[in-house]
Amino acid sequence: MRRCATLFLACGFALHGAAFAQDVLIRNATVHTATAQGSLQGADVLIGNGQVRAIGKGLKAPAGAQVIEAEGRPLTPTLFGGITEIGLEEVSGEKSTVDETLALGADTKQMTVRPEFDVTLAYNPESVLIPVTRIEGIGWTLLGAGTATGGSIVAGQGGVMRLDGGPDPTGARVLFVKLGGDASGLSGNSRAAQWMILDQLIAEARGRIGPDANAALLTPAGRATLARYLDGGGRVMVGVDRAADIRQLLRWSSRHGVRIAIAGGAEAWKLAPQLAAAKVPVFVDPLANLPGDFDQIGASMENAARLRAAGVAVGFSQSGDASHNARKVRQLAGNAVAAGLPWEDGLAGLTRVPAEALGVSAELGSIAPGHRADLVLWSGDPLEVSSVALQVWMNGRAIEMRSRQTELRDRYLRPENGLPRAYPAPSGR
């Protein structure tokens, strides 16, 4: 009986109903706090009222608490899934299920600039992508606004979303801007024009160009929104790869007092000292190691390691189909570690770094007293693809480790359900 209780997590057991209200003591875990405490061997974590109450050795379980025997396994905060459209995109090929882009203009000659556009308003907390992502240890993501023909290089706003089934974002909004060759079609087929447009938008937001001017691009709501991101206001996430564009971005952000972060940054390592001095976090894709286009000629698997060695805060986000494959962000971090990034920094890029960059570090991204008890117990090293999440807690509640994908798997694997087998029966049966 004790053995069954010790290993119940590996058997897929989860707490339900009234058990959610119980205190939980996770005992004898390797606790990767993602704080200055680092990793604690053989430590206990006490959870109560949805928060981490205490971390240490030999903690006493309160009366009625659920005790989890971790047996030395790794315990981490839930991981950051990167910049995605989870809850905004159900089927990428079906336009009615895709909500992350705004394109009010008919073509590139009718650019519409609407920074007030907020993709979080379209978030669907019942998206089937959420449990698929969550059972892999991913507990939160940054919803991103995308660019499209008829829109502009200023895509709109997104925000941090916890994947707990709640409908509302956490923390402040983030403004998304796209620069470089991929966005030149939105700026008259010239990347030089992108700086001209951005400078004009700043002038409008500061009132130097009146709302009735013939060349005005912003609505009154757009002016008010953009003004909130100036002079050290909210975070602006800029999608950019080429070193020359990053250099101009650093000059522009310094000139206008814009707090930027970089998404992509394939050639960011070339400007690592400047990025560190400006305290600009960079969300890289460590698998971007080939010159996929003329903005990424200097792409390198060592991008993350070189940036971190220079003092840059490094986070991770996937290029490509990040929403449907958010689970693969662990593989990205693992590859960065294999290419020279210290392991602790690899974990930090999925926990503490994005939480600090996005202004939610008081709640997410680390295991510390007073923080949300959004935790994952792993079978092994969380940066190894062979490891799995044994149990995920959100607000201290053990979630069901089940998704549409696991249900489909089980449906066709069980012979008693009368459906054809998905795979041949094992020999001897």
Side-chain angles (χ1 to χ4, degrees), residues 140-357:
W140 56 293
T141 186
L142 174 61
L143 297 185
T147 56
T149 299
S152 79
I153 58 175
V154 180
Q157 299 175 95
V160 170
M161 197 65 67
R162 293 176 63 244
L163 303 181
D164 65 341
D168 300 315
T170 296
R173 298 297 187 272
V174 176
L175 184 66
F176 286 83
V177 174
K178 180 68 174 175
L179 298 175
D182 286 347
S184 64
L186 299 171
S187 57
N189 293 317
S190 170
R191 75 180 72 219
Q194 294 166 2
W195 305 109
M196 175 189 72
I197 292 168
L198 287 175
D199 281 343
Q200 176 179 333
L201 296 176
I202 297 292
E204 290 188 42
R206 294 193 187 282
R208 295 197 295 267
I209 296 177
D212 298 326
N214 290 334
L217 295 171
L218 295 172
T219 66
R223 288 169 175 255
T225 297
L226 187 57
R228 294 201 297 269
Y229 292 92
L230 305 181
D231 300 321
R235 181 73 73 179
V236 178
M237 184 68 67
V238 184
V240 62
D241 284 310
R242 196 170 80 167
D245 295 330
I246 295 172
R247 183 179 296 108
Q248 293 297 338
L249 175 63
L250 289 171
R251 293 171 178 173
W252 177 84
S253 63
S254 175
R255 189 162 66 246
H256 296 296
V258 180
R259 292 176 59 240
I260 60 170
I262 290 175
E267 294 189 348
W269 62 270
K270 295 184 177 182
L271 294 164
Q274 296 93 317
L275 289 164
K279 294 181 170 56
V280 175
V282 182
F283 292 80
V284 303
D285 182 344
L287 298 184
N289 68 323
L290 295 173
D293 56 42
F294 284 98
D295 283 12
Q296 302 183 59
I297 292 175
S300 169
M301 289 276 293
E302 297 178 359
N303 192 12
R306 294 172 181 176
L307 287 167
R308 187 70 198 107
V312 178
V314 177
F316 301 106
S317 188
Q318 295 182 74
S319 53
D321 191 10
S323 301
H324 291 84
N325 292 288
R327 72 192 83 181
K328 293 182 180 179
V329 74
R330 291 196 297 125
Q331 182 178 357
L332 268 64
N335 274 270
V337 170
L341 183 71
W343 189 94
E344 291 285 353
D345 288 315
L347 181 65
L350 296 175
T351 53
R352 175 180 52 80
V353 168
E356 291 177 346

Side-chain angles (χ1 to χ4, degrees), residues 113-136:
V113 187
R114 302 296 292 269
E116 65 270 35
F117 173 59
D118 183 352
V119 298
T120 67
L121 300 176
Y123 178 72
N124 176 19
E126 298 181 7
S127 167
V128 298
L129 295 187
I130 292 174
V132 168
T133 302
R134 189 173 55 199
I135 66 171
E136 301 284 348

Side-chain angles (χ1 to χ4, degrees), residues 388-408:
V388 297
L390 298 177
Q391 183 62 60
V392 177
W393 290 267
M394 302 290 292
N395 268 351
R397 298 182 176 185
I399 67 158
E400 290 188 84
M401 300 299 284
R402 186 177 70 180
S403 72
R404 178 175 174 81
Q405 291 183 355
T406 64
E407 289 174 353
L408 287 170

Side-chain angles (χ1 to χ4, degrees), residues 89-98 324:
E89 174 185 305
E90 207 69 39
V91 180
S92 55
E94 174 53 53
K95 290 185 178 181
S96 65
T97 71
V98 179
H324 291 84

